[in-house]
Amino acid sequence: MILLHKKTGKKFYLENKDKDFNTHFGIIKKEDLNKEPGSIVKSHLGEEFIIFEDNFNDIIGYLKLGPQSVHKKDIGLLYSLVPIYSGMKIVEGGTGSGILTSYLANSVKPNGKVYSYEIRKDFYKIAKKNFEKLKLLDYIELKLKDINNGIEEKNVDLIVLDTPDPWNTLNFAYESLKIGGYLASFLPNITSVLKLLDLNEKFLLIGIYENFVRKWEYVRGKVLRPENFEIVHTEFLVLFRRI
Amino acid sequence: MILLHKKTGKKFYLENKDKDFNTHFGIIKKEDLNKEPGSIVKSHLGEEFIIFEDNFNDIIGYLKLGPQSVHKKDIGLLYSLVPIYSGMKIVEGGTGSGILTSYLANSVKPNGKVYSYEIRKDFYKIAKKNFEKLKLLDYIELKLKDINNGIEEKNVDLIVLDTPDPWNTLNFAYESLKIGGYLASFLPNITSVLKLLDLNEKFLLIGIYENFVRKWEYVRGKVLRPENFEIVHTEFLVLFRRI
Amino acid sequence: MILLHKKTGKKFYLENKDKDFNTHFGIIKKEDLNKEPGSIVKSHLGEEFIIFEDNFNDIIGYLKLGPQSVHKKDIGLLYSLVPIYSGMKIVEGGTGSGILTSYLANSVKPNGKVYSYEIRKDFYKIAKKNFEKLKLLDYIELKLKDINNGIEEKNVDLIVLDTPDPWNTLNFAYESLKIGGYLASFLPNITSVLKLLDLNEKFLLIGIYENFVRKWEYVRGKVLRPENFEIVHTEFLVLFRRI
Amino acid sequence: MILLHKKTGKKFYLENKDKDFNTHFGIIKKEDLNKEPGSIVKSHLGEEFIIFEDNFNDIIGYLKLGPQSVHKKDIGLLYSLVPIYSGMKIVEGGTGSGILTSYLANSVKPNGKVYSYEIRKDFYKIAKKNFEKLKLLDYIELKLKDINNGIEEKNVDLIVLDTPDPWNTLNFAYESLKIGGYLASFLPNITSVLKLLDLNEKFLLIGIYENFVRKWEYVRGKVLRPENFEIVHTEFLVLFRRI
């Protein structure tokens, strides 16, 4: 499991460094693949590659994706509202392909743990493989269970829901969270947000948020301008706290 | 150092639990202040308070602020682009009041460290006290030095600059970062962004970003609508990578 | 009724040019105030002023305002969706201080007309005075009536509602509009938008819109950056069409 | 030139009503096409169509487009900053396919005029045809000339530039505008905005603007949410005034 960068910035992800690796910039030999991180190696066409260390941020881009996944910008929004750090105990509803789970587990390691509930067997399998690739299996307990049938964990710091019916989780979440713990729910429709707010009785509402990220394009000496098209809506984030 | 929540959600921050505590909801006795986190205690007016555990996210709101500070939403943006986790080695230019430093240190603990450069003595002192309150002193090395005179750390994972002239740090940053390491610069003006991009020669440009967060207001049974006014501009984030 | 600009760009609005005019840049004499538009005159302190022509866009900034008014940026949004031009027949519900009414009347003149309904006598009076200042009285029929009691006009091109309960106007609006005519409703809350959409049965929904305008700051040779604070929410615009 | 609407809201544009018209909802006979606006006619499949009046807003959607065109939302932005109405004298640089020209001409008729400069013969021809379709030829003088070689019109109310080098037009624009007149420049890159601002010496800067429009999706009884993707950048608008 190595990552290589050519000088253009293109990345390649290898699951196996026991055989030569083919790129359209040429073949890199097995011996070269096993050199120290930071080494520069050449393909048979003379193109230079850099051997990269394992890095969460690089590997996360190469994971297998199932249908549902919280967008990176919204993960950033969650982190800005609820700092997530080593030692936390987190419950997640709706593992999906495990992207958000991986961010969370990567943040709570080495002393914390993420307990993630998923009802679909196919997503469970995809997520499991992704955690393996990221070497995060020790920090995640993946459960093939419906979070709306009950949350087994107690004294939890944070519960994150990426499910279509978070109002069905409200009571279980309240019992599971410690005092001061947070409940975060990602929802694509304002109609669902409204239903969740109306059905909440016990939690303190911290806020309802949306997040837009705008990327700019740059061409040296010529152009600096915002990108023309952007995702302007993914999900609303509703944040509650148990008090 | 305890945090108390009344049922209305109002928080109080205490540096000292060795004497009775006065609030406009009544006085809470010393003995009550020293009960277990999660306990409910009463003021002499019969108002209920909950004793909270120490919590990074609560305490950060009570820190002393100097003039400069990266906005929470922009910290979230950084985390969405460069996951920051236990064990990382980070250099920061421009400690200011130490808010961003604290987020970073809280994320890299218990195995990582943040080396933060600040040229102003008054900011240095404010930041030092804030790190103490957050019990983060073990994970931060605060330096009363100009980052533009050189970066002493090597093999660094991430350098974050909240300085007005990041172009003067480019060469030192390049030498200090490990291969694959990131350089992130926060800048309020597009004119500074342009100068930084034009003067960069060695780094791969990952992107130029802005982040907007929109908060919604909710009144049960009546109103759900976006807040009228919002901060729409704080800083641009320019992200480079050493390859 | 004249407008004067000093070289700094500051504007002054005069209702009366029959006497000398005092500014903190000095006094301008009556004789000077009555010179040709475009003339440059001097105050007794030697400061230069330009005599401006009557101009809708300058005067609109000096109107008396009551509590409710559609924001300029949202007027622009309406114009981008439904071009408004000479000869149109428009009905408005909720005159308020008459700002939107004035924009509409100014656009439909000299051959069109705006029929505007207002239930509050005090707003009616404010609006009337504003139309007088703008010399738009010939193009506006202001009615002290509740639009939800019926719309007297037929074969209307556009109905614009700035009222809290537009669902009560749906049937009257349908009968009043010509085939192909538009119904535009401004609403601050998404909950009201939802109610209007759910209660609409006859109209074709063209769209639901929001509009953000971002202004940039410029200091020559130094700074170009977005303004820090901005109105990010005023009203949603729901646009229907009779087909 | 008739517009037909089926009950689904689908529109058809006909240049010729002297022969039967084919749609995938059936054939409509010539006799039916010549009925009064507002009539309901049937195709040979029994599907109902409504005969629409000529309408600027419907026809503009069927114009032939060349490569460059100011976006509708930005036209709305311009209208919100500089009301455009009957009788105004406007100069435009960069006709392109004539979309903005058409909006302007439609607003200044019947007493005003738009003088539009275009250097490319192919665009000139496309624009000319579009003006014909919209019956706006009387209100537009289209010139196959470079606006940077001089502006022939004097005492102009507004000059709008959709050209890549507006700084080359500054002096001519100043001479052409009346006192109080506006100069509006649409520019896609912030680098061009900066150049224009730096090179401007005579004009008062009113503002630098961007405009975002967000559209929401609605499915009755189910969903109300913002659209996922949106154009977030088209052009900046720089607005100056001659004082």
Side-chain angles (χ1 to χ4, degrees):
Chain A
M1 205 141 63
I2 299 179
L3 285 158
L4 294 178
H5 254 257
K6 224 209 120 277
K7 286 205 168 142
T8 61
K10 185 138 181 42
K11 288 188 273 179
F12 297 89
Y13 176 69
L14 284 80
E15 299 213 27
N16 184 351
K17 45 182 177 174
D18 298 335
K19 55 178 184 183
D20 294 356
F21 184 62
N22 271 296
T23 75
H24 43 282
F25 302 110
I27 299 161
I28 303 120
K29 287 204 182 125
K30 190 175 70 178
E31 305 87 76
D32 286 338
L33 294 176
N34 285 282
K35 287 190 177 160
E36 281 286 287
S39 307
I40 290 175
V41 300
K42 284 188 182 184
S43 75
H44 82 290
L45 297 176
E47 295 281 333
E48 292 186 336
F49 288 77
I50 307 169
I51 296 181
F52 254 45
E53 274 185 283
D54 268 20
N55 179 305
F56 177 83
N57 209 20
D58 288 313
I59 302 175
I60 196 100
Y62 290 90
L63 296 185
K64 202 177 164 190
L65 296 183
Q68 66 172 329
S69 183
V70 174
H71 196 277
K72 261 170 73 165
K73 73 177 181 61
D74 297 320
I75 296 176
L77 175 62
L78 176 63
Y79 274 73
S80 77
L81 297 165
V82 185
I84 295 164
Y85 45 91
S86 178
M88 285 176 79
K89 187 175 181 181
I90 298 177
V91 167
E92 185 194 33
T95 315
S97 46
I99 301 299
L100 174 56
T101 328
S102 300
Y103 274 89
L104 296 172
N106 193 51
S107 296
V108 303
K109 78 180 183 194
N111 306 320
K113 197 144 197 171
V114 180
Y115 303 84
S116 189
Y117 290 72
E118 175 57 55
I119 49 172
R120 286 186 53 171
K121 189 77 193 236
D122 50 344
F123 292 172
Y124 178 97
K125 283 183 184 168
I126 289 171
K128 199 88 184 178
K129 268 194 193 148
N130 285 336
F131 303 152
E132 217 180 313
K133 276 191 192 169
L134 288 161
K135 295 178 190 151
L136 290 171
L137 282 172
D138 287 351
Y139 316 109
I140 298 168
E141 191 175 326
L142 185 51
K143 301 176 157 199
L144 192 60
K145 285 185 179 170
D146 188 344
I147 195 166
N148 291 335
N149 287 339
I151 300 174
E152 292 151 338
E153 294 70 28
K154 297 291 166 205
N155 209 30
V156 167
D157 293 297
L158 167 66
I159 298 179
V160 185
L161 300 177
D162 186 25
T163 54
D165 55 348
W167 41 84
N168 291 325
T169 320
L170 283 170
N171 283 333
F172 296 127
Y174 193 84
E175 295 307 319
S176 170
L177 283 169
K178 71 176 181 196
I179 290 172
Y182 291 93
L183 173 63
S185 171
F186 289 103
L187 286 165
N189 304 326
I190 199 74
T191 30
S192 300
V193 168
L194 196 57
K195 186 169 180 182
L196 177 59
L197 295 170
D198 284 346
L199 291 178
N200 167 53
E201 285 172 357
K202 294 181 180 166
F203 284 100
L204 175 71
L205 176 63
I206 301 296
I208 309 139
Y209 307 88
E210 286 180 278
N211 192 36
F212 312 80
V213 172
R214 188 151 86 144
K215 210 177 163 189
W216 287 63
E217 295 173 343
Y218 170 70
V219 180
R220 188 182 293 273
K222 287 197 184 136
V223 166
L224 181 61
R225 73 166 168 214
E227 285 189 356
N228 292 357
F229 284 88
E230 210 76 72
I231 298 181
V232 290
H233 176 65
T234 48
E235 305 200 69
F236 296 96
L237 173 55
V238 182
L239 186 63
F240 296 111
R241 194 165 192 193
R242 178 176 173 183
I243 58 163
Chain B
M1 206 141 59
I2 303 178
L3 285 158
L4 295 176
H5 254 253
K6 224 210 119 277
K7 282 198 171 150
T8 61
K10 183 134 182 46
K11 287 188 272 179
F12 296 90
Y13 176 68
L14 285 79
E15 298 214 28
N16 183 353
K17 44 183 179 177
D18 297 336
K19 54 178 184 184
D20 296 356
F21 185 62
N22 272 296
T23 76
H24 41 285
F25 303 110
I27 300 161
I28 305 119
K29 290 208 180 117
K30 189 176 71 178
E31 305 86 78
D32 286 339
L33 293 176
N34 284 281
K35 288 190 176 161
E36 281 286 287
S39 308
I40 289 176
V41 299
K42 285 189 182 181
S43 74
H44 82 290
L45 298 175
E47 295 281 332
E48 293 186 335
F49 289 77
I50 307 169
I51 295 181
F52 255 47
E53 275 185 281
D54 269 18
N55 180 305
F56 177 83
N57 209 21
D58 287 312
I59 302 173
I60 196 102
Y62 291 91
L63 296 185
K64 202 177 163 191
L65 296 185
Q68 66 174 329
S69 182
V70 174
H71 195 278
K72 260 169 74 166
K73 71 176 184 62
D74 297 320
I75 296 177
L77 175 61
L78 176 63
Y79 274 74
S80 78
L81 296 165
V82 184
I84 295 164
Y85 45 90
S86 177
M88 284 176 79
K89 187 176 182 180
I90 298 178
V91 167
E92 184 194 36
T95 314
S97 46
I99 301 298
L100 175 56
T101 328
S102 299
Y103 274 89
L104 297 172
N106 194 49
S107 296
V108 303
K109 75 178 185 195
N111 307 319
K113 197 144 198 172
V114 180
Y115 302 84
S116 188
Y117 289 72
E118 175 56 54
I119 49 170
R120 286 185 54 170
K121 189 82 193 235
D122 50 345
F123 294 171
Y124 178 96
K125 283 182 184 168
I126 290 171
K128 200 87 183 180
K129 270 196 191 146
N130 286 336
F131 303 152
E132 217 180 313
K133 277 193 191 168
L134 289 161
K135 296 177 190 151
L136 289 171
L137 281 173
D138 287 351
Y139 315 110
I140 298 168
E141 191 176 325
L142 185 51
K143 302 176 157 198
L144 193 60
K145 285 186 181 172
D146 187 345
I147 196 167
N148 292 335
N149 287 340
I151 300 174
E152 292 151 337
E153 295 71 30
K154 297 291 165 203
N155 209 31
V156 167
D157 293 297
L158 166 66
I159 297 178
V160 185
L161 300 177
D162 186 25
T163 53
D165 56 348
W167 40 85
N168 290 326
T169 321
L170 283 169
N171 283 333
F172 295 126
Y174 193 85
E175 294 308 317
S176 171
L177 283 169
K178 72 178 182 194
I179 291 173
Y182 292 92
L183 173 63
S185 171
F186 289 102
L187 285 166
N189 304 327
I190 200 72
T191 29
S192 300
V193 168
L194 196 57
K195 185 168 179 185
L196 177 59
L197 295 171
D198 284 347
L199 290 178
N200 167 54
E201 283 173 358
K202 293 182 181 164
F203 283 100
L204 175 71
L205 176 63
I206 301 297
I208 307 138
Y209 308 88
E210 283 180 280
N211 191 37
F212 312 81
V213 171
R214 189 151 85 144
K215 208 175 164 192
W216 287 62
E217 296 172 344
Y218 170 71
V219 180
R220 188 181 294 272
K222 288 203 184 128
V223 165
L224 181 60
R225 74 167 167 215
E227 284 188 356
N228 291 358
F229 283 87
E230 209 77 74
I231 298 181
V232 291
H233 177 65
T234 49
E235 304 202 71
F236 296 96
L237 172 56
V238 182
L239 185 63
F240 295 110
R241 195 167 191 190
R242 177 177 173 182
I243 60 165
Chain C
M1 206 141 63
I2 302 179
L3 287 156
L4 294 177
H5 255 255
K6 227 211 116 270
K7 282 197 171 150
T8 62
K10 184 132 182 44
K11 286 187 274 178
F12 297 89
Y13 175 68
L14 284 79
E15 299 213 28
N16 184 353
K17 45 182 176 176
D18 298 335
K19 54 178 184 184
D20 294 357
F21 185 61
N22 272 296
T23 76
H24 41 285
F25 302 111
I27 300 161
I28 304 119
K29 289 205 182 122
K30 190 174 70 176
E31 305 85 77
D32 285 339
L33 293 176
N34 285 280
K35 287 190 177 160
E36 281 286 286
S39 308
I40 290 175
V41 299
K42 286 189 181 180
S43 74
H44 81 289
L45 298 175
E47 295 281 332
E48 292 186 334
F49 288 77
I50 306 168
I51 296 181
F52 254 45
E53 274 185 283
D54 268 18
N55 179 304
F56 177 82
N57 208 21
D58 287 311
I59 303 175
I60 196 102
Y62 291 90
L63 295 186
K64 203 178 163 191
L65 295 185
Q68 65 173 329
S69 182
V70 174
H71 196 278
K72 260 169 75 167
K73 72 176 183 61
D74 297 320
I75 296 177
L77 175 61
L78 175 63
Y79 274 74
S80 77
L81 296 166
V82 185
I84 295 164
Y85 45 90
S86 177
M88 285 175 80
K89 187 176 180 181
I90 298 178
V91 167
E92 185 193 34
T95 314
S97 46
I99 301 299
L100 174 56
T101 326
S102 299
Y103 274 88
L104 297 173
N106 193 49
S107 295
V108 303
K109 76 178 184 195
N111 307 318
K113 197 145 197 171
V114 179
Y115 303 83
S116 189
Y117 290 72
E118 176 56 55
I119 49 171
R120 286 186 52 172
K121 189 81 192 239
D122 51 344
F123 293 172
Y124 178 96
K125 283 182 186 169
I126 291 171
K128 200 87 183 180
K129 268 195 195 146
N130 287 336
F131 303 153
E132 217 180 313
K133 275 192 195 169
L134 289 161
K135 295 177 192 150
L136 290 171
L137 281 173
D138 288 352
Y139 316 109
I140 298 169
E141 191 175 325
L142 185 50
K143 299 174 160 201
L144 192 60
K145 285 186 180 170
D146 188 345
I147 196 167
N148 292 335
N149 287 339
I151 301 174
E152 292 152 335
E153 294 71 29
K154 297 292 164 202
N155 209 31
V156 167
D157 293 297
L158 166 66
I159 297 177
V160 185
L161 300 176
D162 186 25
T163 54
D165 55 348
W167 40 84
N168 291 326
T169 322
L170 284 170
N171 283 332
F172 296 127
Y174 193 84
E175 295 307 318
S176 169
L177 283 169
K178 71 178 181 193
I179 291 173
Y182 291 92
L183 173 63
S185 171
F186 289 103
L187 286 165
N189 304 326
I190 200 75
T191 29
S192 301
V193 168
L194 196 56
K195 186 168 180 184
L196 177 60
L197 294 171
D198 284 347
L199 291 178
N200 166 53
E201 284 173 355
K202 292 181 180 165
F203 283 100
L204 174 73
L205 175 63
I206 301 297
I208 307 138
Y209 308 88
E210 284 180 279
N211 191 36
F212 313 80
V213 170
R214 188 150 85 145
K215 208 175 164 191
W216 288 62
E217 295 173 343
Y218 170 70
V219 180
R220 188 181 294 272
K222 288 199 184 132
V223 165
L224 181 59
R225 74 167 166 213
E227 285 188 355
N228 291 357
F229 284 87
E230 208 77 72
I231 299 181
V232 290
H233 176 65
T234 49
E235 305 201 69
F236 296 96
L237 173 56
V238 182
L239 187 62
F240 296 110
R241 195 166 193 192
R242 177 175 175 185
I243 58 164
Chain D
M1 206 137 66
I2 301 178
L3 286 157
L4 295 176
H5 254 257
K6 225 208 117 280
K7 285 203 168 144
T8 60
K10 185 139 181 39
K11 288 187 274 179
F12 297 90
Y13 176 69
L14 283 81
E15 299 214 27
N16 182 351
K17 45 182 176 174
D18 298 336
K19 56 178 183 181
D20 296 356
F21 185 61
N22 271 295
T23 76
H24 42 284
F25 302 110
I27 299 160
I28 303 118
K29 286 202 182 127
K30 189 175 70 176
E31 305 86 77
D32 286 338
L33 294 176
N34 284 280
K35 287 189 177 160
E36 281 285 288
S39 309
I40 291 176
V41 299
K42 285 188 181 183
S43 75
H44 82 290
L45 297 174
E47 295 281 333
E48 291 187 337
F49 289 77
I50 307 169
I51 295 181
F52 254 47
E53 274 185 281
D54 268 20
N55 180 306
F56 178 82
N57 209 19
D58 289 311
I59 302 175
I60 196 103
Y62 291 90
L63 296 185
K64 203 178 164 189
L65 296 184
Q68 67 173 327
S69 183
V70 174
H71 196 277
K72 259 169 75 167
K73 72 176 181 61
D74 297 320
I75 296 176
L77 174 61
L78 176 63
Y79 274 73
S80 78
L81 297 165
V82 185
I84 295 163
Y85 45 91
S86 178
M88 285 176 77
K89 187 175 180 180
I90 298 177
V91 167
E92 184 193 35
T95 314
S97 45
I99 301 299
L100 175 55
T101 328
S102 300
Y103 274 88
L104 297 172
N106 193 51
S107 296
V108 303
K109 77 180 183 193
N111 307 319
K113 197 146 197 171
V114 179
Y115 303 84
S116 188
Y117 290 72
E118 175 57 54
I119 50 172
R120 287 185 51 172
K121 189 79 192 238
D122 50 346
F123 293 171
Y124 179 95
K125 282 183 185 170
I126 290 171
K128 200 87 185 180
K129 270 194 192 148
N130 287 336
F131 303 151
E132 217 180 315
K133 275 191 192 169
L134 289 161
K135 296 177 190 149
L136 290 171
L137 282 173
D138 287 351
Y139 316 110
I140 299 168
E141 191 176 324
L142 185 51
K143 301 176 158 198
L144 193 59
K145 285 187 179 169
D146 187 344
I147 195 166
N148 292 335
N149 287 339
I151 300 175
E152 292 150 337
E153 294 71 28
K154 297 292 165 203
N155 208 32
V156 167
D157 293 295
L158 166 67
I159 297 178
V160 185
L161 300 177
D162 186 25
T163 54
D165 55 348
W167 40 84
N168 291 326
T169 321
L170 283 169
N171 283 333
F172 296 126
Y174 194 84
E175 295 307 318
S176 169
L177 283 168
K178 70 178 181 194
I179 291 172
Y182 292 93
L183 172 63
S185 171
F186 289 103
L187 285 166
N189 304 326
I190 200 73
T191 29
S192 301
V193 169
L194 196 57
K195 185 168 180 185
L196 177 59
L197 295 170
D198 285 346
L199 291 178
N200 167 52
E201 285 174 355
K202 294 182 181 166
F203 284 100
L204 174 72
L205 176 62
I206 302 296
I208 308 138
Y209 308 87
E210 284 180 279
N211 192 36
F212 312 82
V213 172
R214 189 150 86 143
K215 210 178 162 189
W216 287 63
E217 294 172 345
Y218 170 70
V219 180
R220 188 182 293 272
K222 289 198 183 133
V223 165
L224 180 61
R225 73 166 167 214
E227 285 189 356
N228 292 358
F229 284 88
E230 210 76 72
I231 298 181
V232 290
H233 176 65
T234 48
E235 305 200 69
F236 296 96
L237 172 55
V238 182
L239 185 63
F240 295 110
R241 195 166 191 191
R242 177 174 174 185
I243 59 164

